[in-house]
Amino acid sequence: MAANNIIELQNISLVFPGVRALNEVNLAIHKGEIHVLLGENGAGKSSLIKTICGVYQQSSGTMIFDGLEYAPLNPLTAIQKGVRVVYQEFNLLPYLSIAENIFFEKLPSKGGLVDYQRLNHEASLLMAKVGLGKLSPKMPVENLGVAQMQLIEIAKALSGDSRILILDEPTATLMPDEIDTLFALLLKLKSEGVSIIYISHRLNEIFRIGDRVTVLRNGELVGTHPSSELDIPKIVKMMVGRNMDSEYPFDDTVLPSDPLLEVKDLKYKGNPHSKSFTLRKGEILGIAGLVGSGRTETMRALFGADPKMGGQIFLKGEELIITSPRDAVKNGICLLTEDRKQQGLILEMSCVENTTITDLKSVSDYGFLNREQEREATEKQIREMNIKTPGIDQKTLHLSGGNQQKILIGKWLYRDSEVFIFDEPTRGIDVGAKYEIYLLLWKLAAMGRGIIMVSSDLPELTGVCHRILVFSDGKITGELERKDFDPESILALSYKEYLQS
């Protein structure tokens, strides 16, 4: 083992019944480097991480940690060695405070009781490190937004002595200023000798912080290169095994037409500002803004998931009374939530059950499910949407993020919805799967459907949308046509209300 390596993986294979997740992978992580790990969903990244941190035990091969053989039996063994992981899916306890979550594994005590004064003080220091210094450490985690939860997970990982810090999609929900704070922190940790394994589908981030890049495909190592020797087209080709014409396809033959959805003076609880906007047939309407600016809250009120305090909603000129998601769905409005695993899919159920659940009447005879019709409908969706699954009876829990997202879209297509509200539709999925999702959006637009896309990824919004609305502190502060798209203008509008005296 080279002296400058913190960990080496030698011919690591991981085999499950009928699946070879990793096939003789060789990888070396240097001390004090930021090593970027890339690959499409299903490429083996998660399997590799879980092998390093003790969730899985390799089927064959050897790991060497700081010169000694390393075979963690469980995650606790890995943590004791200094291997910490921040997963894409959060592992927080909602009813406990921020401080209690950060130090849950090792709560400071005094006289046999939790020392809350010390706990809150030490938590405040870590929260300041990750850009959450303005929050109270006593705040319950359930009151936080998704981006804030992500930063708390990172603070939690920093609460112990880390020698290897593994981050899985840490910027998926963060805005540019939050990303800058995170990157400054990672560079500081690197200077202190911490090795960082960084997984992201945002390829532009690689060149800001990455020292070296490793690409996996179908469970095998494609290659490891210094980031200075790579560019995005080379990386994409390594990941997907083919060239892609454009990262963000825009179909200029699909032209928005008549108004489809009109929202007038919509208000929701906790925000006094009314919102009005129009969505046209065949249009992809982007929603930009900082996390907490009211984007998600507005969409949830529109869908009936949260109570609205005023306003009117019209579909094709007719006013709708929406007091619950049932009302919205009945009228052809669907919401694909930013948290597909908790709020979008029933992970323990199969592809069949998740696909037809939005319209069980269509696959029922006299009140009983017709299993044959269910299977035929699901097979059609899987075929048309190019969903990769061993079979239609596979639990959605075991599908990759991109294929889970396709199942989520498919279930609303099956319902024949007219308005699709996507909240962070490509969060946590790879560049190849993103491209397929964009093509599906254009397919929907070409069918005359209306699409609202909430996203924290500005290049995604400017690359795919016809128009963009910008939210700032609960207000709509701007509306931009495609010819006027400019990232600086969008960011300025996003911060506009926060800068008012």
Side-chain angles (χ1 to χ4, degrees):
M1 178 173 178
N4 67 328
N5 291 341
I6 184 66
I7 191 169
E8 284 186 13
L9 280 67
Q10 301 172 352
N11 300 315
I12 294 295
S13 292
L14 181 66
V15 180
F16 299 111
V19 178
R20 181 173 285 271
L22 296 172
N23 185 34
E24 297 190 351
V25 172
N26 291 283
L27 176 66
I29 306 297
H30 297 170
K31 295 176 181 176
E33 79 161 338
I34 299 178
H35 195 113
V36 181
L37 183 62
L38 299 176
E40 291 190 275
N41 289 109
K45 304 186 302 298
S46 294
S47 297
L48 191 68
I49 288 173
K50 289 177 179 178
T51 302
I52 292 173
C53 72
V55 174
Y56 298 148
Q57 284 71 49
Q58 67 264 31
S59 304
S60 62
T62 304
M63 289 192 287
I64 307 294
F65 188 97
D66 206 13
L68 299 174
E69 188 167 340
Y70 170 69
L73 297 175
N74 51 53
L76 181 60
T77 310
I79 288 171
Q80 290 169 345
K81 279 282 189 179
V83 179
R84 307 287 301 217
V85 186
V86 178
Y87 289 108
Q88 188 178 333
E89 290 78 31
F90 304 143
N91 188 26
L92 299 171
L93 300 169
Y95 303 116
L96 295 185
S97 70
I98 294 172
E100 288 166 329
N101 270 278
I102 290 174
F103 288 100
F104 187 77
E105 297 165 2
K106 195 176 180 181
L107 292 168
S109 61
K110 186 177 182 180
L113 301 173
V114 175
D115 185 345
Y116 277 100
Q117 184 175 354
R118 182 180 159 199
L119 171 69
N120 291 326
H121 173 69
E122 292 184 1
S124 295
L125 297 178
L126 284 171
M127 290 165 65
K129 264 190 174 183
V130 299
L132 295 177
K134 293 183 179 180
L135 295 181
S136 167
K138 300 176 184 178
M139 179 184 291
V141 162
E142 66 176 336
N143 294 338
L144 301 178
V146 173
Q148 293 168 324
M149 289 184 185
Q150 177 71 74
L151 294 170
I152 292 301
E153 283 282 17
I154 294 169
K156 184 178 171 183
L158 297 176
S159 65
D161 293 326
S162 299
R163 301 190 67 190
I164 297 177
L165 178 61
I166 303 173
L167 300 174
D168 187 1
E169 293 291 342
T171 62
T173 61
L174 305 185
M175 289 301 291
D177 58 332
E178 296 166 326
I179 293 172
D180 290 341
T181 300
L182 173 62
F183 284 179
L185 174 61
L186 297 185
L187 291 172
K188 183 175 185 295
L189 292 171
K190 170 187 165 181
S191 70
E192 295 170 355
V194 177
S195 300
I196 297 161
I197 300 176
Y198 188 92
I199 298 171
S200 178
H201 294 310
R202 294 182 172 184
L203 301 184
N204 59 311
E205 294 178 351
I206 295 164
F207 307 103
R208 288 185 61 184
I209 58 166
D211 296 307
R212 291 189 301 148
V213 177
T214 290
V215 176
L216 297 178
R217 187 168 72 235
N218 298 326
E220 297 185 345
L221 177 70
V222 177
T224 298
H225 302 278
S227 58
S228 58
E229 296 179 0
L230 297 170
D231 56 28
I232 288 179
K234 286 180 183 175
I235 291 170
V236 170
K237 189 171 183 180
M238 289 174 72
M239 287 173 61
V240 303
R242 64 186 186 277
N243 291 312
M244 290 196 311
D245 296 333
S246 171
E247 188 176 354
Y248 303 106
F250 183 83
D251 189 345
D252 55 11
T253 66
V254 179
L255 301 176
S257 57
D258 300 330
L260 176 63
L261 178 76
E262 294 178 85
V263 176
K264 295 183 178 180
D265 301 321
L266 180 67
K267 293 182 180 180
Y268 57 84
K269 188 176 180 180
N271 186 281
H273 306 298
S274 60
K275 289 105 181 151
S276 300
F277 59 89
T278 299
L279 173 69
R280 295 170 289 179
K281 293 179 181 179
E283 181 177 36
I284 301 178
L285 175 64
I287 306 292
L290 306 178
V291 171
S293 63
R295 303 171 306 167
T296 294
E297 292 83 354
T298 300
M299 297 306 122
R300 286 178 60 85
L302 169 58
F303 185 63
D306 293 332
K308 62 180 173 55
M309 308 306 291
Q312 296 172 288
I313 300 167
F314 297 85
L315 185 70
K316 296 180 180 177
E318 293 187 15
E319 185 172 2
L320 305 180
I321 305 301
I322 297 177
T323 60
S324 69
R326 183 187 295 273
D327 295 332
V329 171
K330 186 174 64 177
N331 286 286
I333 299 173
C334 67
L335 172 64
L336 291 84
T337 64
E338 63 179 326
D339 190 346
R340 60 179 173 266
K341 295 191 176 184
Q342 294 295 324
Q343 300 175 0
L345 296 170
I346 305 174
L347 295 178
E348 289 295 332
M349 296 180 96
S350 70
C351 298
V352 175
E353 293 159 322
N354 273 282
T355 297
T356 59
I357 195 170
T358 55
D359 192 7
L360 291 176
K361 284 185 179 179
S362 68
V363 288
S364 299
D365 294 324
Y366 306 106
F368 294 93
L369 283 175
N370 185 317
R371 297 296 183 185
E372 186 177 345
Q373 286 183 20
E374 255 198 317
R375 297 178 73 82
E376 287 176 0
T378 304
E379 286 171 350
K380 182 172 181 276
Q381 289 285 17
I382 285 175
R383 187 170 57 251
E384 291 181 353
M385 300 185 69
N386 193 29
I387 297 170
K388 297 174 183 175
T389 173
I392 61 174
D393 295 314
Q394 174 82 317
K395 289 183 179 180
T396 53
L397 173 69
H398 300 306
L399 299 182
S400 68
N403 287 303
Q404 287 178 342
Q405 190 72 317
K406 289 182 187 179
I407 290 286
L408 187 53
I409 296 171
K411 82 174 189 179
W412 292 116
L413 273 174
Y414 182 71
R415 176 78 192 191
D416 200 26
S417 302
E418 294 195 73
V419 175
F420 288 77
I421 304 171
F422 290 87
D423 197 351
E424 303 288 358
T426 63
R427 179 189 170 206
I429 62 177
D430 65 77
V431 64
K434 278 185 182 181
Y435 191 81
E436 292 186 355
I437 295 295
Y438 300 144
L439 294 180
L440 282 172
L441 297 187
W442 282 112
K443 181 179 178 181
L444 291 171
M447 293 164 61
R449 307 295 200 265
I451 296 130
I452 299 174
M453 182 166 74
V454 179
S455 177
S456 301
D457 188 339
L458 277 187
E460 177 175 78
L461 290 175
T462 58
V464 175
C465 298
H466 291 103
R467 273 188 309 142
I468 294 176
L469 299 179
V470 185
F471 280 58
S472 179
D473 197 20
K475 288 184 180 180
I476 296 177
T477 51
E479 176 182 338
L480 301 173
E481 296 290 340
R482 185 168 182 82
K483 62 182 176 59
D484 301 319
F485 287 177
D486 172 58
E488 290 185 10
S489 299
I490 294 171
L491 278 176
L493 289 167
S494 298
Y495 281 99
K496 182 178 179 180
E497 290 301 313
Y498 297 99
L499 299 176
Q500 299 293 330
S501 57

